[in-house]
Amino acid sequence: MLFSFKKKRDEMWRTPGLHKPKTMFRPSLPPENLSTMSVKASPASAVSSPEERLRSRALDTLRTHALEIILDSPDPVRTVDVARLVAQRLELTLNEEEIGGLASVVRLVLDGDPLFSQSNRQWDLALRMGRAEGDRRKPVERAIEDFIDLIGRPITSEPLAVLAAAVYGRTPDYYERMIERVAPARKEFFVLPDETIAITRWLIEITDTDPELVAEDNRLEPAIIDALQKAAKGIKADRPVAYARSLVEKVGTPVDNRALTFVTWLKFPDMEPDQLFSDLMDETAVFPERGPVWVTAASRGEVLDAIRTLLSAPESAAEIVAAVAPGEETEAGILAPTTVRVSDEDLDQVFDYMIQDDSRGYRIGELCQQALEAFPGSRTYIGVYASLLQRMKEDGRFQWVGVERFRIASTVPQDVLTLPEGLSYDDAVYETEEGESDRQVDTDEWKPGLDDEIRNYWVQEVGDDVTTPAATPKSLTCSAPLHHYVAGTYYLRNRDRGFFPTEPDLVQVAVTPNDGPKFDLWINNRLGLVFGIKEWYDANLPWVGGKFTLERAEQADEYRLTNTGETEPEMDVPLEKLQALLQLRGEAEASSLRLSDVVERILKGQPEGLSFTNLFTQLNVVRRTRRAQLASALSGQRLFTQPSNGLWIFDEKRAAKPKGKKKGTPKRIREFDDDDDDDLEIE
């Protein structure tokens, strides 16, 4: 007689004192899914087609045996050795090429499971490698029960003790003695004659003589029970184990132990569920798979054939591995919520890898793959990546140089940390032989237009920049004045700061020019200076006025540099004029010329006049000067005028008219410093 539980269930819920169960029945499943009725769903239930279910069983078989092999070994195990031992356990005769294929599949399985981690192609529990943390919130006895459920079939105390030690911290010997004491005494466990330990959650609990109540109490799925009962028709047996074995053989596909036990109990009401399980373990015609479920020899042979198919084409296993790989939340509560962690040993390994060539920077992605052998696409890669990034930031042996780049800390060039010689300002007060110095003019007395001209983009300089951060530019058009050309630097104005990474203070990026090999730049975010471009300047640009463009590349720390051969008119100084300015520079130093005298010499050499920006560019060839200093010098002398064309000239007519001497105390120049530069020490 087939049972229909709905009517009985409805009657129970209407009975005073009885309540609906907290968990409703799962939807009815077709008979071929008889293995999916376990308390903890098998990975095979995640896929639908028979072929996919078979491959899933094959991968789950590999995972279970690999776990037991790793638990049996006190040291990490090479991938190929795991494969050989799995083949021995499954009695698969394989040649070396097939062992290599199996090793590839095993690697996919282990890499897709957060329980495992590897270093130098050797696998171990992530817990023992320090890359994961165990969940210690539950009692040890409950954790041991979960460990057995994870393995999915009876197991001895030794590997259970290894898992317990990895989570809770004591030695395996301590937990082995505990397990041997606890297992026979607690109702959650039962010990088989071969001294392996099983758990009672795999069994049904017979709480009544009424089959419908027993099924209800054990939350068995009606569709699966009905399908098994139909398959059991006609089976004749005088013992429970013979009946159960015949039912598994008749079904042909994996049968969940709880469903099988229930249907067998209907036939033999006096049987004990644990005794039936023990008797089935002694049978040679049926075999346990993780769940546990029972399979026939033929069904087990299909799994072995599926493994052979996978090892002949390992790449075909990748998709199904991703589909059935267990997540952290399904690992029986063994792992804590944050399961991937780079250990101290991993950091040592990364350091050893980087020190082999400490002349360059390394990306985290490269270190994950080359030093730790964690590859994109694996389940652990993102976690290893994030953990390694954080741990390297905290370790003094490494220096973070932006985005995902790191260097050995002692190898960072020291000359990119300070302001280069030639970029500091000359703020000395120069006097004539008669003791006259330049008249310092306050901003409210400046000549018309200078308030705007000192805000021109090209005259903003290191430590003297009034621009404010703006939307991150997609590209930069650059032109370096002579002092930056000589120093091999470029000033990154405040408004352009987002173009390069703004953290940390020192950033290393790679630049690929359109006319040469890739090279590295250093960005000092504190100073706003780009270092490392001197060689490219020398090979590609004139001393002053050369223009180039920087653009972002695909990688966050890579850029493209384009040199069109053009010049920036406001920054350009013809070669013959540059030579004259360099000569004037020597005279200004030797004679301590006042700033106004230097400006006068420059403008006298340019009778057609100069824009404020170009005058500022030429002046800085002679002497490093701030914008406000030039504006004050132009405003303090009546000889400097700006006709309608906007260019500054030296007015010869005014110079010819005599003017009385006027001497006074120099006034302090009102500086135009951006608040962001308050911490810069520019001398």
Side-chain angles (χ1 to χ4, degrees):
M1 176 181 179
L2 302 181
F3 289 95
S4 175
F5 301 133
K6 184 177 186 301
K7 179 178 178 182
K8 185 70 175 179
R9 189 167 63 239
D10 292 343
E11 291 175 355
M12 290 174 60
W13 292 344
R14 287 194 293 269
T15 302
L18 293 179
H19 305 281
K20 293 183 180 182
K22 293 182 180 179
T23 303
M24 297 291 290
F25 289 138
R26 288 184 285 246
S28 297
L29 299 172
E32 63 266 23
N33 282 337
L34 296 177
S35 65
T36 62
M37 210 186 74
S38 63
V39 174
K40 176 168 59 66
S42 164
S45 64
V47 290
S48 56
S49 73
E51 294 79 10
E52 289 176 324
R53 285 196 295 274
L54 184 59
R55 285 190 297 173
S56 176
R57 288 172 56 200
L59 293 171
D60 193 49
T61 298
L62 294 177
R63 176 185 182 273
T64 301
H65 284 287
L67 173 59
E68 293 179 1
I69 289 166
I70 288 172
L71 290 175
D72 286 342
S73 174
D75 301 311
V77 188
R78 295 189 309 159
T79 309
V80 67
D81 291 334
V82 176
R84 290 184 190 279
L85 292 171
V86 167
Q88 291 176 15
R89 283 169 168 253
L90 296 176
E91 299 179 351
L92 289 170
T93 303
L94 305 176
N95 58 36
E96 286 302 311
E97 183 179 353
E98 290 171 327
I99 286 290
L102 181 59
S104 297
V105 178
V106 167
R107 184 188 179 283
L108 282 171
V109 172
L110 297 181
D111 200 40
D113 191 321
L115 267 180
F116 306 102
S117 191
Q118 58 82 33
S119 177
N120 290 328
R121 296 178 176 84
Q122 295 180 317
W123 291 92
D124 201 349
L125 295 175
L127 292 161
R128 287 199 297 194
M129 294 186 76
R131 291 187 180 174
E133 294 182 359
D135 187 353
R136 302 181 181 180
R137 295 171 295 180
K138 65 180 68 174
V140 177
E141 294 84 353
R142 173 58 190 275
I144 294 169
E145 186 182 0
D146 289 340
F147 298 162
I148 299 173
D149 198 28
L150 170 71
I151 294 167
R153 63 186 185 188
I155 192 168
T156 59
S157 59
E158 291 90 340
L160 294 175
V162 171
L163 268 173
V167 173
Y168 291 96
R170 295 197 179 187
T171 65
D173 289 344
Y174 172 86
Y175 292 105
E176 188 173 349
R177 292 192 298 270
M178 173 189 288
I179 293 167
E180 291 173 350
R181 184 178 68 254
V182 165
R186 295 181 68 97
K187 64 181 180 62
E188 291 86 358
F189 307 96
F190 63 100
V191 182
L192 302 182
D194 62 357
E195 297 187 350
T196 58
I197 304 167
I199 53 177
T200 54
R201 73 171 70 161
W202 293 342
L203 309 175
I204 61 170
E205 186 177 2
I206 301 175
T207 56
D208 202 283
T209 58
D210 187 338
E212 294 178 342
L213 289 176
V214 172
E216 185 74 29
D217 289 344
N218 287 278
R219 297 178 181 176
L220 302 177
E221 297 188 28
I224 295 180
I225 299 301
D226 287 348
L228 277 179
Q229 284 188 276
K230 289 178 181 178
K233 285 184 177 181
I235 294 178
K236 295 181 180 180
D238 57 356
R239 293 185 303 133
V241 66
Y243 182 85
R245 182 194 65 230
S246 298
L247 182 52
V248 173
E249 290 175 333
K250 191 171 183 181
V251 171
T253 58
V255 180
D256 175 73
N257 181 71
R258 297 177 76 249
L260 179 65
T261 303
F262 178 79
V263 174
T264 303
W265 172 73
L266 294 177
K267 181 71 174 178
F268 299 91
D270 294 332
M271 58 147 278
E272 294 294 335
D274 58 342
Q275 186 61 52
L276 176 63
F277 189 95
S278 179
D279 291 343
L280 284 170
M281 289 293 296
D282 290 336
E283 285 287 320
T284 58
V286 295
F287 302 88
E289 285 186 5
R290 194 170 80 90
V293 298
W294 299 99
V295 301
T296 63
S299 181
R300 183 173 182 268
E302 291 176 348
V303 170
L304 298 182
D305 289 341
I307 291 174
R308 287 184 178 277
T309 301
L310 289 172
L311 66 87
S312 64
E315 63 279 358
S316 66
E319 185 175 347
I320 192 68
V321 166
V324 303
E328 297 171 17
E329 70 281 358
T330 63
E331 286 295 9
I334 291 177
L335 303 182
T338 302
T339 62
V340 180
R341 184 184 63 187
V342 169
S343 66
D344 293 341
E345 291 76 12
D346 291 327
L347 281 182
D348 292 341
Q349 194 166 307
V350 168
F351 181 81
D352 292 341
Y353 177 77
M354 293 175 64
I355 204 69
Q356 296 178 48
D357 182 3
D358 61 5
S359 64
R360 67 182 185 92
Y362 292 83
R363 287 194 176 96
I364 289 291
E366 176 188 355
L367 296 173
C368 285
Q369 296 178 58
Q370 300 301 320
L372 302 182
E373 297 184 3
F375 296 92
S378 69
R379 287 183 59 87
T380 57
Y381 180 76
I382 294 176
V384 170
Y385 182 104
S387 180
L388 181 60
L389 178 66
Q390 185 59 38
R391 294 218 64 190
M392 289 186 73
K393 287 182 179 180
E394 297 168 352
D395 193 306
R397 293 174 294 177
F398 309 103
Q399 181 161 341
W400 178 39
V401 288
V403 192
E404 62 161 7
R405 280 183 181 240
F406 283 84
R407 290 181 67 103
I408 300 296
S410 59
T411 67
V412 174
Q414 294 302 299
D415 58 356
V416 304
L417 303 177
T418 57
L419 190 73
E421 183 180 358
L423 266 61
S424 57
Y425 294 104
D426 186 348
D427 291 327
V429 177
Y430 293 93
E431 297 180 344
T432 63
E433 293 180 355
E434 293 78 13
E436 292 184 356
S437 61
D438 287 317
R439 185 168 73 89
Q440 305 301 308
V441 181
D442 286 334
T443 56
D444 55 1
E445 299 178 11
W446 283 356
K447 292 178 179 177
L450 285 173
D451 275 330
D452 292 330
E453 295 195 77
I454 66 167
R455 300 181 187 279
N456 184 283
Y457 178 82
W458 295 113
V459 301
Q460 311 306 310
E461 263 288 1
V462 55
D464 188 31
D465 184 351
V466 295
T467 62
T468 56
T472 302
K474 295 181 179 179
S475 64
L476 290 183
T477 299
C478 311
S479 184
L482 181 65
H483 48 278
H484 282 296
Y485 184 103
V486 172
T489 57
Y490 182 77
Y491 175 61
L492 192 65
R493 292 153 179 83
N494 292 338
R495 81 172 198 183
D496 298 332
R497 291 294 179 95
F499 181 72
F500 293 108
T502 56
E503 291 182 326
D505 281 348
L506 193 64
V507 173
Q508 185 180 15
V509 300
V511 174
T512 303
N514 66 331
D515 51 5
K518 179 186 293 189
F519 60 94
D520 286 340
L521 294 180
W522 290 91
I523 318 301
N524 186 316
N525 281 310
R526 184 179 64 85
L527 297 175
L529 287 177
V530 179
F531 289 84
I533 200 169
K534 173 64 173 172
E535 290 186 11
W536 187 84
Y537 280 165
D538 287 339
N540 296 277
L541 295 185
W543 285 8
V544 184
K547 187 162 66 173
F548 59 96
T549 302
L550 288 170
E551 296 176 295
R552 285 195 177 87
E554 289 69 26
Q555 291 277 356
D557 59 354
E558 292 200 356
Y559 296 81
R560 290 186 293 269
L561 187 156
T562 303
N563 175 25
T564 63
E566 300 176 5
T567 57
E568 169 54 46
E570 292 281 32
M571 304 291 289
D572 190 24
V573 180
L575 181 59
E576 62 277 9
K577 181 61 179 177
L578 180 61
Q579 292 173 336
L581 292 172
L582 292 174
Q583 184 177 354
L584 177 58
R585 177 177 181 169
E587 295 177 14
E589 291 177 358
S591 304
S592 299
L593 294 179
R594 295 177 306 175
L595 182 61
S596 58
D597 295 330
V598 174
V599 173
E600 179 180 334
R601 295 277 194 95
I602 294 173
L603 290 178
K604 279 183 175 180
Q606 298 278 168
E608 68 279 9
L610 295 172
S611 68
F612 180 86
T613 301
N614 196 255
L615 174 58
F616 182 76
T617 300
Q618 296 194 27
L619 174 60
N620 273 271
V621 173
V622 179
R623 179 181 294 165
R624 284 290 286 124
T625 308
R626 300 176 189 271
R627 296 167 295 117
Q629 288 176 308
L630 174 58
S632 177
L634 291 172
S635 300
Q637 290 284 350
R638 56 191 292 272
L639 308 177
F640 305 136
T641 62
Q642 190 180 32
S644 58
N645 62 1
L647 301 180
W648 288 92
I649 63 171
F650 177 75
D651 194 329
E652 296 285 356
K653 293 181 179 179
R654 291 193 176 191
K657 296 180 180 179
K659 190 174 184 299
K661 294 182 180 179
K662 189 174 184 179
K663 186 175 181 182
T665 303
K667 297 182 181 179
R668 181 178 179 80
I669 296 177
R670 182 176 176 181
E671 296 184 356
F672 286 78
D673 290 336
D674 188 4
D675 291 341
D676 290 342
D677 295 320
D678 288 346
D679 60 343
L680 300 183
E681 296 180 2
I682 309 297
E683 298 180 356

